[in-house]
Amino acid sequence: MATIAPPPTDDDAIVAPATYADPDAYDRLFARLRAEDPVHWTEPADYRPFWSVTRFADIQEVERHAAQFLNAPRMMLRPVSVEEQVRKLTGGSALMLRDIVHMDGRDHMVHRKLTQAWFMPGRLKALEEDLRALARHFVGQMVERGGSCEFVDDVAVWYPLRVIMRILGVPAEDEARMLVLTRDIFGPDDPDIRKGPKPDLATTIKGFTDYFAELTEARRRDPSDDIATLLSTAEVDGQPIGTLELMSYYIIIATAGHDTTSSTIAGGLLALLQNSGEMARLRADPAILAAGGVDEMVRWVTPVKHFFRTAVEDYALRGKTIRAGDHLMMCYPSANRDADAFPDPFRFDLSRPPNRHLGFGYGPHLCLGQHLAKMEIRIFFEELLARVDAIELAGDPAWVASNFVSGLKRLPIAYKAR
Ligand code: HEM
C-alpha cells in the first residue's frame, strides 16, 4: 500500500524551495509566523537550526547591531551535507569565498570602500545613455518577435546580465558562460532552470577564478574604465588586495548583479499586468518610477529571500533570548509584507509613501548595487512602455523553487508594438 507523506512541518516549509515557488503558500506561512511567533526557533530536517526573524522592525534591529550580529561564518541556508563538503574542501573553514558579504567590521568597511564610489548615483549617471541603448536593444528584440514572448527567458534574464558584465568588463561573448557559472554557484536546483546535475562548488569556483585571473592580467596590461581595472589594482592598507578577496569580489558582483534585477523586472511587469490601474498610471506618468515606483517593485518582488547573521553575545529580541553563537535568518519578503511597516501591505501601489522596504537589506551591508539596480529597472520600463502597448498575460506565470535569490521563471506575454 502506498504511504502518504506527512504534511511538512512549518520548520521544513520555511526552508523548502517549493514554498518559494508558491507566493500564496509563502504569504500564508509567514503571515502566521509574524502574528504568532515572529522570532521563531526553527529546526528543519537536513539544516542546522536557526531563528527565523520575520518582522520588519526585528530585522532592522538585527542589521543595525552589526557588532553583535556578524555576517561570518553562516551567510545563507545550505544543507548540512553541503556545509560539510565546504569544510572538507577548505580544510576546515566554513567559507569558500571571502567577499564583502562574508566580512565584518573594519575589514568589511575597507573592502566595500574600494568600489562604493563607483556605484553611487553621481558616478552612475555617466552610464545612463549606455543602459538606455541596451534597454532599447532588448525591447527592440522583443518587438521583432512579433507580438508574444516568454518574457523571463527572452528578455528579463539578458538585460541585467549584459549590464553587470559591461560594468565588470566581461565581453558580451563570455556572458553565456558567466550565466552558467553564476547559476551553478548560487542558483536553484529547479529542474526547469538547471538541466543536469549541479557541479560541485570547487569546480564552479575554479571556473570563475580561472576566468577572472585572466581578466585581471589583461586589465593590468591594458587598463579600462571598468570594475575589473579598479579591482586589479586595488590596495588595502597599502598592500594589493589578497587573491581570495579579489576573486571573491568579482564573483559577488557578477552574481549579485543580475538574478536580483531580472527577477524584479519580471515580477514588476507581472504586478503591472495584474493591477491595470497601476499600469495606466505609469503609462500616463513614467516619472512615478523614479519617485518610488521602482522601490515598490523591489518591495513587491523581494528577490533576496534571506541572509543570515550569527550572534556574538546573548541578546533579547522580541522577548526571545538569542544565545551567543545562534544563527538568525532574516526573512526579507516577510518583512516587506509586515502591516506594522506598510499600510495595506498586499496592495501594489507605485506611489506608496514612504517606502523604506528591506528588499535591499539594511545597515552597513545595505546593497552596494541598489542605485545601479534602480536605474536599470527604471530605464527598462521607460523604454518598454514607450515602445510596447497592450501587454497582457498569455499563460500562467511560474516561480523558481529556490529559498535564496529567486523570482519568476515563466512569464508568457502578448503585446503590440506602438
Ligand atoms: C533589485 C536588485 C537587487 C536586490 C533586490 C538586491 C538585494 C540585496 C540584499 C538584500 C543585500 C544584502 C544586504 C544586507 O545584508 O543588509 C545585497 C547586498 C549586496 N548587493 Fe544587492 N541587490 C540587487 C542588485 C544588486 C546589483 C545590481 C549589484 C551590483 C553590484 C549588487 C551588489 C551587491 C553587493 C556587492 C552586496 C553586498 C554588500 C555588502 O555586504 O556590503 N546588488 N543586495
Side-chain angles (χ1 to χ4, degrees):
M1 205 169 74
T3 50
I4 297 172
T9 64
D10 275 0
D11 290 8
D12 290 325
I14 287 169
V15 300
T19 305
Y20 297 78
D22 179 350
D24 291 340
Y26 181 96
D27 287 339
R28 275 195 308 275
L29 171 64
F30 283 84
R32 188 149 46 75
L33 289 167
R34 285 195 300 278
E36 294 171 6
D37 193 15
V39 177
H40 170 72
W41 183 245
T42 312
E43 294 184 317
D46 305 330
Y47 292 82
R48 283 187 293 146
F50 53 87
W51 296 96
S52 296
V53 185
T54 57
R55 296 188 83 167
F56 185 94
D58 296 341
I59 294 182
Q60 274 195 330
E61 183 171 341
V62 169
E63 295 220 43
R64 196 182 305 116
H65 291 88
Q68 279 103 330
F69 295 105
L70 301 184
N71 278 43
R74 192 178 184 184
M75 181 190 116
M76 61 185 281
L77 269 176
R78 279 203 170 118
V80 172
S81 57
V82 176
E83 292 185 337
E84 278 167 1
Q85 190 197 345
V86 169
R87 263 194 295 277
K88 220 188 254 163
L89 288 166
T90 57
S93 165
L95 305 175
M96 288 285 284
L97 296 170
R98 226 179 147 252
D99 57 58
I100 56 175
V101 176
H102 294 93
M103 293 181 190
D104 291 288
R106 180 176 182 278
D107 224 16
H108 169 250
M109 196 188 68
V110 293
H111 283 88
R112 181 169 164 124
K113 256 203 174 136
L114 294 172
T115 58
Q116 185 154 283
W118 216 98
F119 289 103
M120 294 313 274
R123 172 71 181 74
L124 291 172
K125 228 173 165 21
L127 289 175
E128 170 116 15
E129 281 320 303
D130 251 23
L131 296 201
R132 194 168 294 286
L134 284 178
R136 277 200 191 123
H137 167 77
F138 285 103
V139 171
Q141 274 190 346
M142 192 177 142
V143 168
E144 279 160 25
R145 284 175 189 277
S148 68
C149 75
E150 209 318 290
F151 184 74
V152 176
D153 275 353
D154 294 341
V155 186
V157 167
W158 298 105
Y159 163 69
L161 181 68
R162 177 78 54 92
V163 171
I164 199 65
M165 292 303 153
R166 274 236 178 143
I167 285 173
L168 263 177
V170 173
E173 61 269 22
D174 295 339
E175 278 166 16
R177 180 171 165 196
M178 282 290 130
L179 185 64
V180 172
L181 285 169
T182 56
R183 284 186 166 165
D184 284 347
I185 194 165
F186 290 132
D189 290 319
D190 189 314
D192 282 351
I193 305 280
R194 174 172 307 288
K195 315 285 177 218
K198 210 173 188 169
D200 67 57
L201 264 177
T203 308
T204 306
I205 290 180
K206 186 166 180 328
F208 269 120
T209 51
D210 287 351
Y211 185 86
F212 286 128
E214 259 180 49
L215 186 62
T216 303
E217 279 313 307
R219 287 303 184 277
R220 283 182 182 150
R221 281 195 307 272
D222 187 11
S224 176
D225 182 22
D226 54 29
I227 295 283
T229 305
L230 202 160
L231 289 178
S232 65
T233 53
E235 292 188 352
V236 167
D237 296 334
Q239 299 295 320
I241 178 176
T243 309
L244 175 64
E245 287 75 8
L246 173 63
M247 292 303 150
S248 304
Y249 221 131
Y250 279 120
I251 294 173
I252 188 66
I253 291 184
T255 51
H258 63 88
D259 267 2
T260 47
T261 313
S262 51
S263 293
T264 308
I265 289 176
L269 179 58
L270 177 61
L272 290 170
L273 299 180
Q274 291 175 331
N275 295 272
S276 54
E278 292 305 281
M279 176 70 107
R281 281 193 335 113
L282 185 55
R283 283 195 183 277
D285 180 13
I288 291 176
L289 285 167
V294 170
D295 273 301
E296 178 67 348
M297 290 182 183
V298 176
R299 181 189 79 89
W300 192 253
V301 176
T302 314
V304 178
K305 307 305 176 198
H306 74 266
F307 267 115
F308 266 72
R309 295 291 186 267
T310 298
V312 288
E313 58 196 33
D314 291 2
Y315 189 99
L317 184 66
R318 205 176 278 272
K320 298 283 172 79
T321 303
I322 312 295
R323 297 281 174 209
D326 283 357
H327 306 288
L328 299 92
M329 178 165 93
M330 300 180 296
C331 306
Y332 294 121
S334 171
N336 280 343
R337 294 291 186 276
D338 183 342
D340 283 354
F342 304 99
D344 207 354
F346 289 90
R347 193 159 68 89
F348 179 67
D349 176 1
L350 292 169
S351 306
R352 177 180 288 281
N355 198 346
R356 289 189 297 270
H357 61 82
L358 296 182
F360 290 118
Y362 187 72
H365 286 271
L366 176 69
C367 176
L368 180 73
Q370 65 157 329
H371 301 296
L372 171 63
K374 288 205 251 189
M375 179 172 156
E376 259 180 273
I377 296 165
R378 168 178 60 78
I379 290 174
F380 182 81
F381 279 99
E382 284 168 2
E383 293 302 320
L384 178 75
L385 299 183
R387 196 70 211 277
V388 182
D389 220 348
I391 311 174
E392 56 185 43
L393 268 177
D396 291 334
W399 284 263
V400 175
S402 162
N403 58 26
F404 187 44
V405 175
S406 62
L408 284 160
K409 65 180 175 188
R410 254 198 328 270
L411 184 62
I413 55 169
Y415 45 85
K416 288 198 191 96
R418 281 195 167 204

